[in-house]
């Protein structure tokens, strides 16, 4: 039986009707964004607003500022500061497993304030949205962020996103880069040449990714089966799902890979060597899945143990039927 995991922002969960909709899909778990990057997120189920504009990366619960050094997480002014805690209470009271979805190194606010800690390409350009894990200070910050984000929170699992190097594609303000570069261009422009990375390259990237992940795993001090890692079987991949290293899958219970494109999703699942594989699928992409139910079955046949559904808040009435067919 494929496990169903739905993703949501905390402000989605606290909207009236969310719990009922989640139950109607039959999800086993909801991954709530506790730490997330800047975004303008549509709120199609809300009667009070059309979107939430998160102007910078933020943590959506009260954390101890004294736990951090010069790198400190942003606080939201656009929603209640403890909205994630409220979301967890609602889900747990409803008997739905609630997990903490943590975006770690995608932080334009910190990258702009500390460019020496951000990814820098071979042309000398800095990517402010991308903190580089080759810096010990960045790894320490991400570790404290993760620990503080889940401290005393009744989490079922911890979902780690951008747990490795970000790259050229993901993401700056109002992106105008779609389909501009070749795959080789993306690989070259996504290789970091900051002082900590030196000449860059795959070996250094994977070393720093391993250091970051192992530090996080040790600090979180929870069982391996409760750790979920967003990653890619392509070792050169950067961004929200950075490339798997040789040892990454052994550190976590589930590896989630992006399967948004039905022409490649099943192959991506098959290529992922992990104890449990989650297929990350979307119902809010620019083009609709032609056969959501058939695609979900194909992913399961390819070896997916879990189906990770994006997104229980963004998929409004017009796209909700696609989620229903995916989870059927």
């Amino acid at each position: 039986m494929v496990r169903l995991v739905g993703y949501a922002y905390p402000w989605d969960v606290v909207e009236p009707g969310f719990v009922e909709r989640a139950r109607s899909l039959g999800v086993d778990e909801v991954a709530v964004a506790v730490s997330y990057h800047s975004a303008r997120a549509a709120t199609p189920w809300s009667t009070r607003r059309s979107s939430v504009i998160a102007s910078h990366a933020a943590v959506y619960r009260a954390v101890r500022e004294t736990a951090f050094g010069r790198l400190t997480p942003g606080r939201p002014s656009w929603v209640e500061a403890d909205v994630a805690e409220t979301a967890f209470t609602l889900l747990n009271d409803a008997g739905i497993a609630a997990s903490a979805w943590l975006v770690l190194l995608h932080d334009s606010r910190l990258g702009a304030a500390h460019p020496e800690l951000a990814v820098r390409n071979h042309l000398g350009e800095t990517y402010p949205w991308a903190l580089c894990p080759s810096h010990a200070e960045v790894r320490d910050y991400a570790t404290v962020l993760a620990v503080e984000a889940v401290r005393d929170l009744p989490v079922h699992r911890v979902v780690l996103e951008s747990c490795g190097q970000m790259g050229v594609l993901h993401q700056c303000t109002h992106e105008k880069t779609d389909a501009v570069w070749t795959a080789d261009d993306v690989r070259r422009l996504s290789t970091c040449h900051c002082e900590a990375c030196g000449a860059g390259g795959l070996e250094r990237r994977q070393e720093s990714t391993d250091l970051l992940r192992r530090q996080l795993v040790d600090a979180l001090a929870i069982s391996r089966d409760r750790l979920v890692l967003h990653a890619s079987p392509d070792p050169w991949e950067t961004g929200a799902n950075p490339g798997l290293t040789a040892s990454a899958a052994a550190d976590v219970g589930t590896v989630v890979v992006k399967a948004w494109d039905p022409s490649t999703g099943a192959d991506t699942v098959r290529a992922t060597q992990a104890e449990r594989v989650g297929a990350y699928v979307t119902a809010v992409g620019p083009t609709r899945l032609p056969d959501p139910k058939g695609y979900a079955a194909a992913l399961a046949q390819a070896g997916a143990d879990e189906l990770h559904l994006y997104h229980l808040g963004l998929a409004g009435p017009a796209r909700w039927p696609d989620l229903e067919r995916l989870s059927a």
Side-chain angles (χ1 to χ4, degrees):
M1 176 69 71
V2 173
R3 183 176 180 82
L4 294 177
V5 183
Y7 284 64
Y9 303 132
W11 53 83
D12 296 321
V13 179
V14 301
E15 284 285 345
F18 179 89
V19 167
E20 290 73 20
R21 288 191 298 275
R23 278 182 172 150
S24 74
L25 286 181
V27 297
D28 300 289
E29 176 183 352
V30 174
V32 181
V34 181
S35 170
Y36 202 72
H37 55 72
S38 58
R40 179 184 174 220
T43 54
W45 295 104
S46 175
T47 59
R48 300 178 294 117
R49 57 193 170 196
S50 65
S51 64
V52 167
I53 299 176
S55 56
H56 55 74
V59 60
Y60 290 97
R61 64 173 309 221
V63 296
R64 299 174 298 175
E65 291 188 4
T66 55
F68 295 89
R70 67 168 181 156
L71 300 181
T72 58
R75 301 296 184 87
S77 60
W78 46 92
V79 291
E80 296 80 3
D82 61 350
V83 65
E85 296 176 55
T86 304
F88 269 73
T89 298
L90 286 170
L91 290 167
N92 284 316
D93 286 351
I96 299 175
S99 294
W101 174 18
L102 306 181
V103 173
L104 297 169
L105 301 189
H106 185 177
D107 193 321
S108 299
R109 185 184 66 90
L110 288 178
H114 304 282
E116 73 281 5
L117 300 178
V119 170
R120 186 168 68 235
N121 69 19
H122 67 290
L123 300 173
E125 298 170 312
T126 297
Y127 298 156
W129 59 87
L131 295 173
C132 179
S134 290
H135 297 273
E137 186 175 4
V138 169
R139 298 194 299 271
D140 290 345
Y141 165 73
T143 301
V144 175
L145 174 65
V147 170
E148 286 295 304
V150 303
R151 184 174 60 88
D152 298 329
L153 200 64
V155 298
H156 177 68
R157 294 196 293 182
V158 177
V159 181
L160 303 175
E161 183 179 321
S162 68
C163 187
Q165 189 187 313
M166 303 290 292
V168 66
L169 294 182
H170 193 94
Q171 80 189 29
C172 195
T173 303
H174 210 141
E175 283 283 357
K176 295 291 183 181
T177 60
D178 291 348
V180 171
W181 294 305
T182 67
D184 286 342
D185 289 336
V186 169
R187 179 176 294 184
R188 184 170 59 253
L189 289 168
S190 294
T191 299
C192 187
H193 294 262
C194 73
E195 290 185 5
C197 285
L202 182 58
E203 183 177 352
R204 179 57 181 153
R205 177 187 301 178
Q206 296 212 332
E207 287 175 358
S208 60
T209 297
D210 282 338
L211 287 171
L212 170 64
R213 188 188 62 261
R214 288 168 183 162
Q215 189 169 326
L216 284 161
V217 169
D218 289 344
L220 287 167
I222 62 176
S223 61
R224 173 177 172 265
D225 64 306
R226 293 175 60 203
L227 289 170
V228 180
L229 179 69
H230 280 239
S232 167
D234 179 357
W236 281 101
E237 186 73 22
T238 58
N241 301 60
L244 283 168
T245 69
S247 61
D251 288 341
V252 299
T254 303
V255 172
V256 177
V257 294
K258 193 173 181 181
W260 289 17
D261 183 349
S263 69
T264 59
D267 289 338
T268 300
V269 168
R270 276 190 286 267
T272 304
Q273 301 298 312
E275 184 175 316
R276 289 185 63 84
V277 178
Y280 200 24
V281 294
T282 182
V284 295
T287 57
R288 303 183 75 158
L289 293 172
D291 178 13
K293 184 176 181 179
Y295 185 43
L299 291 170
Q301 187 175 11
D305 304 285
E306 301 181 357
L307 202 61
H308 287 237
L309 306 173
Y310 188 91
H311 184 287
L312 303 192
L314 297 176
R319 304 298 291 272
W320 193 258
D322 290 345
L323 280 181
E324 291 177 323
R325 287 191 287 272
L326 276 166
S327 59

